[in-house]
Amino acid sequence: MTTDTPTAPQATRRFDDLPGPRALPVVGNLLQIQPQRLHLQMEQWCRQYGPVFKLQLGPRKAVVFGDHAVVQATLRDRPDGFRRTSRLREIVEEMGLPVGVFSATGDTWKSQRRMVMHGFDPTHVRRYFPSLQGVAQRLVQRWQQAAAGSTAIDLQADLMRYTVDTIAGLAFGAEVNTLMGDDDVIQQHLDTIFPAISRRVFAPLPTWRWFPSQADRDLQRSLVAVNAAVDGFITGARARLAADPSRREQPHNLLEAMITAADQPGSGIDDSQVAGNVLTMLLAGEDTTANTIAWMIHLLWANPLTLALATEEVRRVCDRTALPTLDMVEQLDYVEACCHETMRLKPVAPLMPQQALRDTTVGGVQITTGMIVFGLMRVDSVSDAHVPQAAQFDPQRWLGGEGKPGQVASAAKRISMPFGAGPRICPGRYLALLEMKMAMAVLLQNFDIALVDTADGQPPVELLSFTMTPVGLRMRLQSRETAAA
Protein backbone atom coordinates (compact mmCIF):
# COMPACT_ATOMS: atom_id res chain seq x y z
CA MET A 1 0.00 0.00 0.00
CA THR A 2 1.25 3.47 -0.83
CA THR A 3 0.29 6.31 1.47
CA ASP A 4 1.50 9.23 -0.64
CA THR A 5 -0.38 12.51 -0.85
CA PRO A 6 -0.98 14.39 -4.13
CA THR A 7 1.78 16.87 -3.23
CA ALA A 8 4.33 14.19 -2.27
CA PRO A 9 7.54 14.14 -4.31
CA GLN A 10 7.59 11.75 -7.26
CA ALA A 11 11.06 10.33 -6.56
CA THR A 12 11.10 7.87 -3.67
CA ARG A 13 13.74 8.68 -1.08
CA ARG A 14 15.45 6.15 1.17
CA PHE A 15 16.27 6.55 4.85
CA ASP A 16 19.87 7.52 4.10
CA ASP A 17 18.69 10.29 1.76
CA LEU A 18 16.81 12.14 4.50
CA PRO A 19 18.09 15.08 6.55
CA GLY A 20 18.14 14.94 10.33
CA PRO A 21 20.17 15.72 13.43
CA ARG A 22 23.68 14.28 13.43
CA ALA A 23 23.82 10.77 14.87
CA LEU A 24 26.64 9.21 16.92
CA PRO A 25 28.02 5.72 16.33
CA VAL A 26 26.09 2.88 18.03
CA VAL A 27 23.64 5.06 20.04
CA GLY A 28 22.62 7.26 17.11
CA ASN A 29 20.46 10.16 18.39
CA LEU A 30 19.47 8.52 21.67
CA LEU A 31 21.73 10.71 23.81
CA GLN A 32 20.11 13.80 22.28
CA ILE A 33 16.61 12.66 23.17
CA GLN A 34 15.00 14.40 26.14
CA PRO A 35 11.93 12.23 26.80
CA GLN A 36 10.07 14.89 28.80
CA ARG A 37 10.25 17.39 25.94
CA LEU A 38 10.61 15.06 22.98
CA HIS A 39 7.59 16.52 21.18
CA LEU A 40 9.16 19.99 21.34
CA GLN A 41 12.47 18.64 20.08
CA MET A 42 10.80 16.93 17.15
CA GLU A 43 8.73 19.99 16.29
CA GLN A 44 11.92 22.09 16.32
CA TRP A 45 13.72 19.55 14.11
CA CYS A 46 10.72 19.62 11.78
CA ARG A 47 11.14 23.38 11.42
CA GLN A 48 14.86 22.92 10.90
CA TYR A 49 14.93 19.94 8.52
CA GLY A 50 11.51 20.07 6.91
CA PRO A 51 8.31 18.00 7.15
CA VAL A 52 10.19 14.69 6.97
CA PHE A 53 13.48 13.82 8.65
CA LYS A 54 15.28 10.82 10.12
CA LEU A 55 16.42 9.70 13.56
CA GLN A 56 18.66 6.80 14.55
CA LEU A 57 17.50 5.40 17.89
CA GLY A 58 20.29 2.97 18.68
CA PRO A 59 19.78 0.10 16.21
CA ARG A 60 16.29 1.32 15.26
CA LYS A 61 15.68 3.59 12.29
CA ALA A 62 12.92 6.18 12.63
CA VAL A 63 11.34 8.57 10.14
CA VAL A 64 9.42 11.59 11.45
CA PHE A 65 6.58 13.21 9.50
CA GLY A 66 4.99 16.58 10.21
CA ASP A 67 2.61 16.72 7.22
CA HIS A 68 -0.90 16.11 8.58
CA ALA A 69 -2.09 14.30 5.44
CA VAL A 70 0.80 11.85 5.61
CA VAL A 71 0.31 11.33 9.35
CA GLN A 72 -3.40 10.72 8.82
CA ALA A 73 -2.68 8.20 6.05
CA THR A 74 -0.39 6.16 8.30
CA LEU A 75 -2.96 6.21 11.11
CA ARG A 76 -5.60 4.94 8.70
CA ASP A 77 -3.26 2.14 7.61
CA ARG A 78 -3.62 0.47 11.01
CA PRO A 79 -3.72 -2.30 12.07
CA ASP A 80 -2.60 -3.93 8.82
CA GLY A 81 0.23 -1.60 7.79
CA PHE A 82 1.36 -0.17 11.14
CA ARG A 83 1.12 -1.09 14.83
CA ARG A 84 2.30 0.14 18.21
CA THR A 85 6.06 -0.27 18.46
CA SER A 86 7.53 -3.55 19.64
CA ARG A 87 9.61 -1.52 22.09
CA LEU A 88 6.46 -0.26 23.80
CA ARG A 89 5.04 -3.78 23.95
CA GLU A 90 8.32 -5.08 25.41
CA ILE A 91 8.39 -2.42 28.15
CA VAL A 92 4.71 -2.89 29.04
CA GLU A 93 5.07 -6.66 29.30
CA GLU A 94 8.31 -6.40 31.29
CA MET A 95 6.53 -4.17 33.79
CA GLY A 96 3.92 -6.90 34.23
CA LEU A 97 1.05 -4.82 32.93
CA PRO A 98 -1.84 -6.70 31.29
CA VAL A 99 -2.20 -5.86 27.59
CA GLY A 100 -5.24 -3.78 26.66
CA VAL A 101 -6.59 -2.44 23.39
CA PHE A 102 -4.07 0.44 23.44
CA SER A 103 -1.02 -1.81 22.99
CA ALA A 104 -2.61 -4.99 21.57
CA THR A 105 -1.99 -5.93 17.93
CA GLY A 106 -3.33 -8.29 15.29
CA ASP A 107 -6.27 -10.56 16.06
CA THR A 108 -5.95 -9.81 19.79
CA TRP A 109 -6.56 -6.14 19.07
CA LYS A 110 -9.53 -6.88 16.82
CA SER A 111 -11.33 -8.98 19.44
CA GLN A 112 -10.57 -6.48 22.22
CA ARG A 113 -11.64 -3.55 20.05
CA ARG A 114 -15.14 -5.02 19.63
CA MET A 115 -15.45 -5.46 23.39
CA VAL A 116 -14.23 -1.95 24.23
CA MET A 117 -16.35 -0.28 21.55
CA HIS A 118 -19.39 -2.06 23.00
CA GLY A 119 -18.57 -0.68 26.44
CA PHE A 120 -17.97 2.87 25.16
CA ASP A 121 -21.10 3.02 23.03
CA PRO A 122 -22.73 6.46 23.59
CA THR A 123 -25.97 4.75 24.62
CA HIS A 124 -24.15 3.00 27.45
CA VAL A 125 -22.31 6.15 28.49
CA ARG A 126 -25.56 8.14 28.67
CA ARG A 127 -27.04 5.47 30.93
CA TYR A 128 -24.19 5.95 33.40
CA PHE A 129 -24.52 9.77 33.45
CA PRO A 130 -25.87 9.93 37.04
CA SER A 131 -22.52 8.56 38.24
CA LEU A 132 -20.77 11.43 36.47
CA GLN A 133 -23.12 13.88 38.17
CA GLY A 134 -22.13 12.48 41.55
CA VAL A 135 -18.43 12.93 40.86
CA ALA A 136 -19.04 16.45 39.54
CA GLN A 137 -20.86 17.29 42.77
CA ARG A 138 -17.83 16.20 44.78
CA LEU A 139 -15.60 18.35 42.57
CA VAL A 140 -17.83 21.36 43.30
CA GLN A 141 -17.67 20.66 47.04
CA ARG A 142 -13.88 20.40 46.96
CA TRP A 143 -13.59 23.68 45.06
CA GLN A 144 -16.10 25.40 47.36
CA GLN A 145 -13.80 24.57 50.28
CA ALA A 146 -10.84 26.03 48.39
CA ALA A 147 -12.81 29.17 47.48
CA ALA A 148 -13.98 29.65 51.06
CA GLY A 149 -10.39 29.46 52.31
CA SER A 150 -8.95 31.54 49.43
CA THR A 151 -6.73 28.54 48.72
CA ALA A 152 -4.89 28.05 45.43
CA ILE A 153 -6.02 24.87 43.68
CA ASP A 154 -3.44 22.53 42.18
CA LEU A 155 -5.40 22.35 38.97
CA GLN A 156 -4.01 19.22 37.37
CA ALA A 157 -4.00 17.23 40.63
CA ASP A 158 -7.66 18.04 41.32
CA LEU A 159 -8.68 17.22 37.77
CA MET A 160 -6.81 13.91 38.02
CA ARG A 161 -8.95 13.12 41.07
CA TYR A 162 -12.05 14.02 39.07
CA THR A 163 -11.14 11.72 36.17
CA VAL A 164 -10.04 8.82 38.39
CA ASP A 165 -13.30 8.99 40.35
CA THR A 166 -15.28 9.26 37.12
CA ILE A 167 -13.64 6.26 35.49
CA ALA A 168 -13.90 4.14 38.65
CA GLY A 169 -17.58 4.93 39.15
CA LEU A 170 -18.77 5.30 35.58
CA ALA A 171 -16.71 2.53 34.03
CA PHE A 172 -16.22 0.01 36.83
CA GLY A 173 -19.11 0.56 39.24
CA ALA A 174 -16.58 1.10 42.04
CA GLU A 175 -16.79 3.89 44.60
CA VAL A 176 -13.35 5.52 44.56
CA ASN A 177 -13.59 8.91 46.24
CA THR A 178 -10.29 10.74 45.89
CA LEU A 179 -12.00 14.13 45.64
CA MET A 180 -13.27 14.19 49.22
CA GLY A 181 -10.03 13.17 50.89
CA ASP A 182 -6.28 13.05 50.51
CA ASP A 183 -5.99 9.27 50.65
CA ASP A 184 -5.66 9.08 46.87
CA VAL A 185 -3.53 5.94 46.79
CA ILE A 186 -4.74 4.71 43.42
CA GLN A 187 -4.04 8.04 41.79
CA GLN A 188 -0.56 8.22 43.30
CA HIS A 189 0.26 4.74 41.98
CA LEU A 190 -1.19 5.46 38.54
CA ASP A 191 0.85 8.65 38.24
CA THR A 192 4.12 6.68 38.34
CA ILE A 193 3.36 4.38 35.42
CA PHE A 194 3.17 6.57 32.30
CA PRO A 195 6.37 8.52 33.09
CA ALA A 196 8.21 5.23 33.69
CA ILE A 197 7.04 3.80 30.36
CA SER A 198 8.15 6.95 28.56
CA ARG A 199 11.60 6.95 30.21
CA ARG A 200 12.24 3.29 29.51
CA VAL A 201 11.13 3.37 25.88
CA PHE A 202 13.82 5.95 25.05
CA ALA A 203 16.53 4.85 27.50
CA PRO A 204 19.86 4.09 25.77
CA LEU A 205 20.45 1.20 28.23
CA PRO A 206 18.03 -0.77 30.46
CA THR A 207 19.75 0.29 33.69
CA TRP A 208 16.64 -0.56 35.75
CA ARG A 209 17.36 -4.26 35.09
CA TRP A 210 20.87 -4.10 36.54
CA PHE A 211 20.88 -1.23 39.02
CA PRO A 212 17.29 -0.45 40.04
CA SER A 213 16.94 3.01 41.54
CA GLN A 214 14.60 4.04 44.33
CA ALA A 215 12.19 5.24 41.63
CA ASP A 216 12.31 1.77 40.04
CA ARG A 217 11.54 0.12 43.39
CA ASP A 218 8.69 2.55 44.02
CA LEU A 219 7.35 1.78 40.56
CA GLN A 220 7.34 -1.93 41.31
CA ARG A 221 5.24 -1.35 44.43
CA SER A 222 2.87 0.83 42.43
CA LEU A 223 2.48 -1.86 39.77
CA VAL A 224 1.57 -4.46 42.39
CA ALA A 225 -0.99 -2.11 43.95
CA VAL A 226 -2.55 -1.09 40.62
CA ASN A 227 -2.82 -4.70 39.39
CA ALA A 228 -4.47 -5.66 42.69
CA ALA A 229 -6.96 -2.79 42.31
CA VAL A 230 -7.76 -3.86 38.75
CA ASP A 231 -8.35 -7.46 39.87
CA GLY A 232 -10.63 -6.11 42.59
CA PHE A 233 -12.71 -4.15 40.09
CA ILE A 234 -13.18 -7.26 37.93
CA THR A 235 -13.98 -9.54 40.88
CA GLY A 236 -16.60 -7.07 42.12
CA ALA A 237 -18.19 -6.77 38.69
CA ARG A 238 -18.39 -10.54 38.23
CA ALA A 239 -19.97 -10.89 41.67
CA ARG A 240 -22.66 -8.34 40.74
CA LEU A 241 -23.36 -10.12 37.46
CA ALA A 242 -23.65 -13.47 39.23
CA ALA A 243 -26.00 -12.04 41.87
CA ASP A 244 -28.20 -10.30 39.29
CA PRO A 245 -28.08 -12.00 35.85
CA SER A 246 -30.41 -9.32 34.43
CA ARG A 247 -27.42 -6.97 34.48
CA ARG A 248 -26.03 -8.89 31.52
CA GLU A 249 -28.97 -7.62 29.46
CA GLN A 250 -28.65 -4.07 30.83
CA PRO A 251 -25.08 -3.62 32.14
CA HIS A 252 -24.83 -0.89 34.76
CA ASN A 253 -21.29 0.18 33.82
CA LEU A 254 -18.62 -0.20 31.17
CA LEU A 255 -16.81 -3.01 32.95
CA GLU A 256 -19.97 -5.09 33.18
CA ALA A 257 -20.59 -4.39 29.49
CA MET A 258 -17.05 -5.53 28.64
CA ILE A 259 -17.31 -8.70 30.71
CA THR A 260 -20.67 -9.51 29.12
CA ALA A 261 -19.22 -9.01 25.65
CA ALA A 262 -16.13 -11.05 26.56
CA ASP A 263 -18.29 -13.93 27.83
CA GLN A 264 -20.05 -14.31 24.50
CA PRO A 265 -19.15 -17.56 22.69
CA GLY A 266 -16.18 -17.09 20.39
CA SER A 267 -15.22 -13.68 21.76
CA GLY A 268 -11.61 -14.80 22.30
CA ILE A 269 -11.39 -12.59 25.40
CA ASP A 270 -10.37 -13.71 28.88
CA ASP A 271 -10.14 -11.88 32.21
CA SER A 272 -6.49 -10.93 31.66
CA GLN A 273 -7.50 -9.00 28.53
CA VAL A 274 -10.42 -7.41 30.35
CA ALA A 275 -7.89 -6.41 33.02
CA GLY A 276 -5.68 -4.86 30.37
CA ASN A 277 -8.52 -2.66 29.23
CA VAL A 278 -9.48 -1.70 32.78
CA LEU A 279 -5.91 -0.51 33.27
CA THR A 280 -5.93 1.23 29.89
CA MET A 281 -9.04 3.17 30.87
CA LEU A 282 -7.57 4.09 34.25
CA LEU A 283 -4.32 5.35 32.75
CA ALA A 284 -5.53 6.91 29.51
CA GLY A 285 -8.81 8.15 30.96
CA GLU A 286 -7.05 9.85 33.87
CA ASP A 287 -4.20 11.64 32.09
CA THR A 288 -5.65 12.65 28.75
CA THR A 289 -8.94 14.11 29.95
CA ALA A 290 -7.54 15.81 33.06
CA ASN A 291 -4.71 17.41 31.11
CA THR A 292 -7.04 18.68 28.40
CA ILE A 293 -9.38 20.30 30.95
CA ALA A 294 -6.40 21.93 32.67
CA TRP A 295 -5.08 23.30 29.38
CA MET A 296 -8.57 24.56 28.50
CA ILE A 297 -8.94 26.48 31.76
CA HIS A 298 -5.51 28.03 31.18
CA LEU A 299 -6.40 29.07 27.62
CA LEU A 300 -9.79 30.47 28.65
CA TRP A 301 -8.17 32.55 31.39
CA ALA A 302 -5.63 33.86 28.89
CA ASN A 303 -8.48 34.82 26.52
CA PRO A 304 -11.09 36.76 28.57
CA LEU A 305 -13.58 37.14 25.70
CA THR A 306 -13.80 33.39 25.12
CA LEU A 307 -14.08 32.83 28.88
CA ALA A 308 -16.97 35.29 29.00
CA LEU A 309 -18.73 33.55 26.10
CA ALA A 310 -18.29 30.11 27.65
CA THR A 311 -19.51 31.41 31.01
CA GLU A 312 -22.57 33.03 29.44
CA GLU A 313 -23.51 29.80 27.68
CA VAL A 314 -23.16 27.67 30.81
CA ARG A 315 -25.18 30.05 32.98
CA ARG A 316 -27.88 30.41 30.33
CA VAL A 317 -28.26 26.67 29.71
CA CYS A 318 -27.69 25.23 33.18
CA ASP A 319 -29.95 25.69 36.18
CA ARG A 320 -27.83 27.32 38.89
CA THR A 321 -29.58 25.46 41.68
CA ALA A 322 -29.03 21.95 40.33
CA LEU A 323 -26.35 19.79 38.77
CA PRO A 324 -26.27 20.02 34.98
CA THR A 325 -28.36 17.31 33.32
CA LEU A 326 -27.26 15.31 30.30
CA ASP A 327 -29.56 17.41 28.11
CA MET A 328 -27.97 20.60 29.43
CA VAL A 329 -24.43 19.35 28.89
CA GLU A 330 -25.21 18.27 25.33
CA GLN A 331 -26.46 21.82 24.58
CA LEU A 332 -23.09 23.39 25.48
CA ASP A 333 -21.93 23.87 21.89
CA TYR A 334 -19.51 26.73 22.63
CA VAL A 335 -17.92 24.82 25.52
CA GLU A 336 -17.50 21.83 23.22
CA ALA A 337 -15.86 24.11 20.66
CA CYS A 338 -13.49 25.24 23.43
CA CYS A 339 -12.61 21.58 24.00
CA HIS A 340 -11.76 21.05 20.33
CA GLU A 341 -9.78 24.27 20.10
CA THR A 342 -7.81 23.29 23.21
CA MET A 343 -6.99 19.90 21.71
CA ARG A 344 -5.82 21.59 18.50
CA LEU A 345 -3.36 23.84 20.33
CA LYS A 346 -2.47 21.52 23.21
CA PRO A 347 -2.97 17.90 22.05
CA VAL A 348 -2.13 15.64 24.98
CA ALA A 349 -0.75 13.10 22.49
CA PRO A 350 1.42 15.43 20.37
CA LEU A 351 3.38 12.65 18.70
CA MET A 352 2.36 9.19 17.54
CA PRO A 353 5.03 6.47 17.15
CA GLN A 354 4.22 3.42 15.02
CA GLN A 355 6.09 0.50 13.52
CA ALA A 356 5.81 -0.65 9.91
CA LEU A 357 4.51 -4.19 9.39
CA ARG A 358 5.52 -4.32 5.73
CA ASP A 359 7.61 -2.52 3.15
CA THR A 360 5.72 0.53 1.91
CA THR A 361 6.07 4.12 0.75
CA VAL A 362 4.97 6.99 2.99
CA GLY A 363 5.11 10.61 1.87
CA GLY A 364 7.59 9.75 -0.87
CA VAL A 365 9.88 7.88 1.55
CA GLN A 366 10.70 4.18 1.36
CA ILE A 367 9.71 2.56 4.66
CA THR A 368 10.98 -0.94 5.36
CA THR A 369 9.42 -3.54 7.63
CA GLY A 370 10.16 -2.83 11.29
CA MET A 371 11.03 0.83 10.77
CA ILE A 372 9.59 3.34 13.28
CA VAL A 373 7.41 6.14 11.93
CA PHE A 374 6.61 9.16 14.13
CA GLY A 375 3.64 11.38 13.31
CA LEU A 376 3.74 14.92 14.73
CA MET A 377 0.14 15.79 15.53
CA ARG A 378 0.18 19.59 15.74
CA VAL A 379 2.78 20.87 13.28
CA ASP A 380 0.18 21.73 10.64
CA SER A 381 -2.67 22.45 13.06
CA VAL A 382 -0.75 25.44 14.49
CA SER A 383 0.54 26.65 11.11
CA ASP A 384 -0.96 29.72 9.40
CA ALA A 385 -0.39 27.92 6.10
CA HIS A 386 -3.13 25.47 7.07
CA VAL A 387 -5.28 27.20 9.73
CA PRO A 388 -6.08 30.93 9.59
CA GLN A 389 -4.62 32.78 12.59
CA ALA A 390 -3.46 29.42 13.88
CA ALA A 391 -1.87 30.72 17.09
CA GLN A 392 -5.13 32.32 18.22
CA PHE A 393 -7.44 30.49 20.65
CA ASP A 394 -10.66 30.84 18.66
CA PRO A 395 -13.37 28.27 19.48
CA GLN A 396 -15.66 29.91 16.91
CA ARG A 397 -13.68 28.20 14.14
CA TRP A 398 -15.35 24.94 15.24
CA LEU A 399 -18.86 26.37 14.85
CA GLY A 400 -21.00 27.29 11.87
CA GLY A 401 -22.45 30.65 11.02
CA GLU A 402 -25.27 30.24 13.53
CA GLY A 403 -22.98 29.01 16.28
CA LYS A 404 -23.93 25.37 15.76
CA PRO A 405 -21.35 22.59 15.38
CA GLY A 406 -20.88 20.74 12.13
CA GLN A 407 -22.15 23.43 9.73
CA VAL A 408 -18.75 24.54 8.48
CA ALA A 409 -16.01 22.09 7.49
CA SER A 410 -13.15 24.26 8.73
CA ALA A 411 -9.47 23.66 8.10
CA ALA A 412 -9.00 22.95 11.80
CA LYS A 413 -11.47 20.06 11.66
CA ARG A 414 -9.63 18.49 8.73
CA ILE A 415 -6.20 18.80 10.29
CA SER A 416 -6.59 18.34 14.07
CA MET A 417 -6.57 14.69 15.14
CA PRO A 418 -6.56 14.65 18.96
CA PHE A 419 -8.18 11.23 19.13
CA GLY A 420 -6.15 9.77 16.27
CA ALA A 421 -7.70 8.52 13.03
CA GLY A 422 -8.66 5.35 11.25
CA PRO A 423 -9.65 2.02 12.81
CA ARG A 424 -7.65 2.68 15.99
CA ILE A 425 -9.24 6.04 16.73
CA CYS A 426 -9.77 6.48 20.49
CA PRO A 427 -12.90 4.53 21.51
CA GLY A 428 -13.46 6.75 24.56
CA ARG A 429 -13.75 10.07 22.74
CA TYR A 430 -17.47 10.53 23.49
CA LEU A 431 -16.92 9.90 27.21
CA ALA A 432 -13.88 12.21 27.23
CA LEU A 433 -15.85 15.09 25.72
CA LEU A 434 -18.70 14.49 28.16
CA GLU A 435 -16.28 14.62 31.12
CA MET A 436 -14.66 17.81 29.81
CA LYS A 437 -17.96 19.58 29.27
CA MET A 438 -19.32 18.49 32.66
CA ALA A 439 -16.23 19.78 34.48
CA MET A 440 -16.45 23.14 32.70
CA ALA A 441 -20.21 23.31 33.32
CA VAL A 442 -19.94 22.92 37.10
CA LEU A 443 -16.93 25.25 37.25
CA LEU A 444 -18.56 28.13 35.39
CA GLN A 445 -21.99 27.44 36.88
CA ASN A 446 -20.80 27.75 40.48
CA PHE A 447 -17.69 29.93 40.45
CA ASP A 448 -16.00 33.00 39.04
CA ILE A 449 -12.37 32.32 38.16
CA ALA A 450 -10.22 34.80 40.06
CA LEU A 451 -6.79 33.72 38.79
CA VAL A 452 -5.01 31.01 36.82
CA ASP A 453 -1.22 31.13 36.97
CA THR A 454 2.00 29.29 37.86
CA ALA A 455 4.31 29.83 40.82
CA ASP A 456 6.89 31.68 38.72
CA GLY A 457 4.34 33.64 36.72
CA GLN A 458 5.49 32.06 33.46
CA PRO A 459 3.31 30.09 31.01
CA PRO A 460 2.96 26.43 32.06
CA VAL A 461 5.69 24.16 30.74
CA GLU A 462 4.64 21.34 28.38
CA LEU A 463 5.93 18.16 30.03
CA LEU A 464 5.73 14.93 28.05
CA SER A 465 5.29 11.92 30.32
CA PHE A 466 3.56 9.77 27.70
CA THR A 467 0.87 12.46 27.62
CA MET A 468 1.52 16.20 27.49
CA THR A 469 1.00 17.73 30.93
CA PRO A 470 0.83 21.41 31.98
CA VAL A 471 3.28 21.92 34.82
CA GLY A 472 2.38 23.94 37.88
CA LEU A 473 -1.01 25.40 36.96
CA ARG A 474 -2.85 26.93 39.92
CA MET A 475 -6.38 28.31 40.05
CA ARG A 476 -8.14 30.57 42.54
CA LEU A 477 -11.93 30.68 42.62
CA GLN A 478 -14.63 32.86 44.07
CA SER A 479 -17.96 31.23 44.80
CA ARG A 480 -20.87 32.93 43.03
CA GLU A 481 -22.80 32.79 46.29
CA THR A 482 -20.03 34.74 48.03
CA ALA A 483 -19.84 37.22 45.17
CA ALA A 484 -23.61 37.78 45.29
CA ALA A 485 -23.50 38.40 49.03
Side-chain angles (χ1 to χ4, degrees):
M1 176 180 177
T2 299
T3 54
D4 284 334
T5 66
T7 58
Q10 296 300 310
T12 300
R13 291 186 289 175
R14 300 173 302 167
F15 181 84
D16 291 341
D17 299 327
L18 300 176
R22 183 178 178 181
L24 297 174
V26 183
V27 296
N29 300 109
L30 276 177
L31 296 182
Q32 297 165 262
I33 296 295
Q34 301 172 39
Q36 292 187 330
R37 59 184 310 274
L38 178 58
H39 64 299
L40 297 173
Q41 286 185 292
M42 287 192 173
E43 289 169 358
Q44 174 57 40
W45 284 329
C46 196
R47 291 188 289 270
Q48 182 176 351
Y49 298 109
V52 54
F53 61 92
K54 67 181 177 182
L55 293 174
Q56 187 74 47
L57 305 176
R60 301 183 298 279
K61 294 180 178 180
V63 179
V64 184
F65 292 98
D67 184 306
H68 73 276
V70 176
V71 173
Q72 190 173 78
T74 63
L75 294 177
R76 293 188 183 282
D77 194 17
R78 301 178 299 174
D80 298 325
F82 293 90
R83 67 174 185 189
R84 306 286 185 191
T85 68
S86 57
R87 176 70 169 168
L88 173 63
R89 178 68 177 257
E90 172 191 338
I91 294 300
V92 167
E93 290 184 346
E94 182 185 51
M95 290 170 67
L97 297 172
V99 175
V101 70
F102 178 81
S103 54
T105 58
D107 290 339
T108 302
W109 171 80
K110 291 177 182 178
S111 58
Q112 292 193 25
R113 177 73 173 185
R114 288 191 295 270
M115 174 185 67
V116 172
M117 288 299 291
H118 178 73
F120 275 116
D121 178 86
T123 301
H124 283 107
V125 173
R126 291 189 188 101
R127 188 180 301 135
Y128 314 138
F129 186 78
S131 296
L132 179 56
Q133 285 181 305
V135 176
Q137 179 63 57
R138 297 202 296 268
L139 181 64
V140 170
Q141 292 170 356
R142 184 177 180 87
W143 283 352
Q144 284 173 336
Q145 292 174 2
S150 300
T151 303
I153 294 166
D154 183 337
L155 193 51
Q156 194 212 18
D158 272 18
L159 291 170
M160 290 285 206
R161 293 169 185 264
Y162 166 72
T163 53
V164 166
D165 286 7
T166 297
I167 287 294
L170 193 81
F172 311 142
E175 184 69 20
V176 175
N177 187 356
T178 66
L179 279 166
M180 298 305 291
D182 293 322
D183 189 22
D184 51 342
V185 176
I186 291 180
Q187 181 190 345
Q188 291 173 352
H189 289 309
L190 288 171
D191 289 348
T192 67
I193 294 176
F194 265 165
I197 293 174
S198 186
R199 287 194 305 271
R200 292 184 179 187
V201 163
F202 290 103
L205 295 171
T207 55
W208 62 90
R209 297 174 185 168
W210 312 319
F211 312 106
S213 65
Q214 184 60 49
D216 294 322
R217 290 189 287 272
D218 291 342
L219 170 66
Q220 199 56 44
R221 285 191 289 272
S222 291
L223 291 169
V224 171
V226 168
N227 282 327
V230 168
D231 290 343
F233 291 145
I234 295 173
T235 299
R238 284 206 171 275
R240 291 191 296 272
L241 290 169
D244 182 5
S246 67
R247 296 172 80 112
R248 289 187 176 273
E249 297 298 323
Q250 294 289 333
H252 291 201
N253 53 66
L254 294 174
L255 177 53
E256 290 179 10
M258 286 197 299
I259 291 174
T260 299
D263 288 348
Q264 295 300 311
S267 72
I269 301 295
D270 57 28
D271 270 7
S272 69
Q273 292 168 337
V274 173
N277 287 295
V278 170
L279 182 61
T280 295
M281 281 187 278
L282 277 172
L283 289 169
E286 178 203 32
D287 273 44
T288 54
T289 306
N291 289 344
T292 299
I293 300 169
W295 282 119
M296 179 162 38
I297 292 171
H298 160 68
L299 289 168
L300 284 168
W301 176 254
N303 294 271
L305 177 59
T306 58
L307 175 58
L309 291 171
T311 302
E312 186 280 328
E313 180 184 66
V314 167
R315 295 181 183 179
R316 171 172 43 84
V317 171
C318 299
D319 183 349
R320 180 177 174 181
T321 62
L323 283 169
T325 65
L326 178 59
D327 179 65
M328 291 174 182
V329 173
E330 290 185 335
Q331 291 181 56
L332 299 177
D333 296 329
Y334 191 80
V335 171
E336 182 168 332
C338 292
C339 297
H340 290 296
E341 184 71 344
T342 298
M343 291 186 287
R344 178 183 71 86
L345 291 170
K346 300 291 186 180
V348 292
L351 56 85
M352 193 78 71
Q354 303 177 85
Q355 191 162 19
L357 294 174
R358 60 176 178 233
D359 292 351
T360 187
T361 302
V362 176
V365 177
Q366 186 180 86
I367 302 296
T368 57
T369 302
M371 190 176 288
I372 308 300
V373 170
F374 283 93
L376 302 184
M377 307 304 288
R378 71 169 174 185
V379 169
D380 283 355
S381 67
V382 296
S383 166
D384 286 338
H386 297 277
V387 179
Q389 297 179 304
Q392 182 177 339
F393 181 69
D394 180 15
Q396 189 64 40
R397 73 176 85 242
W398 296 90
L399 300 170
E402 298 179 3
K404 296 295 182 183
Q407 295 183 1
V408 176
S410 67
K413 291 179 182 178
R414 295 193 299 270
I415 293 172
S416 182
M417 297 173 281
F419 296 109
R424 293 196 74 139
I425 192 170
C426 174
R429 56 194 182 279
Y430 176 79
L431 173 60
L433 278 170
L434 196 61
E435 284 185 86
M436 294 175 202
K437 291 168 71 176
M438 186 61 156
M440 293 306 302
V442 296
L443 169 61
L444 299 179
Q445 178 192 40
N446 293 282
F447 304 96
D448 292 321
I449 301 176
L451 181 67
V452 178
D453 68 353
T454 60
D456 61 5
Q458 298 300 308
V461 172
E462 295 181 357
L463 178 70
L464 189 66
S465 56
F466 212 83
T467 58
M468 191 179 78
T469 302
V471 176
L473 272 181
R474 307 178 305 184
M475 178 172 67
R476 292 184 184 273
L477 297 176
Q478 183 176 21
S479 171
R480 288 182 68 194
E481 294 178 359
T482 302

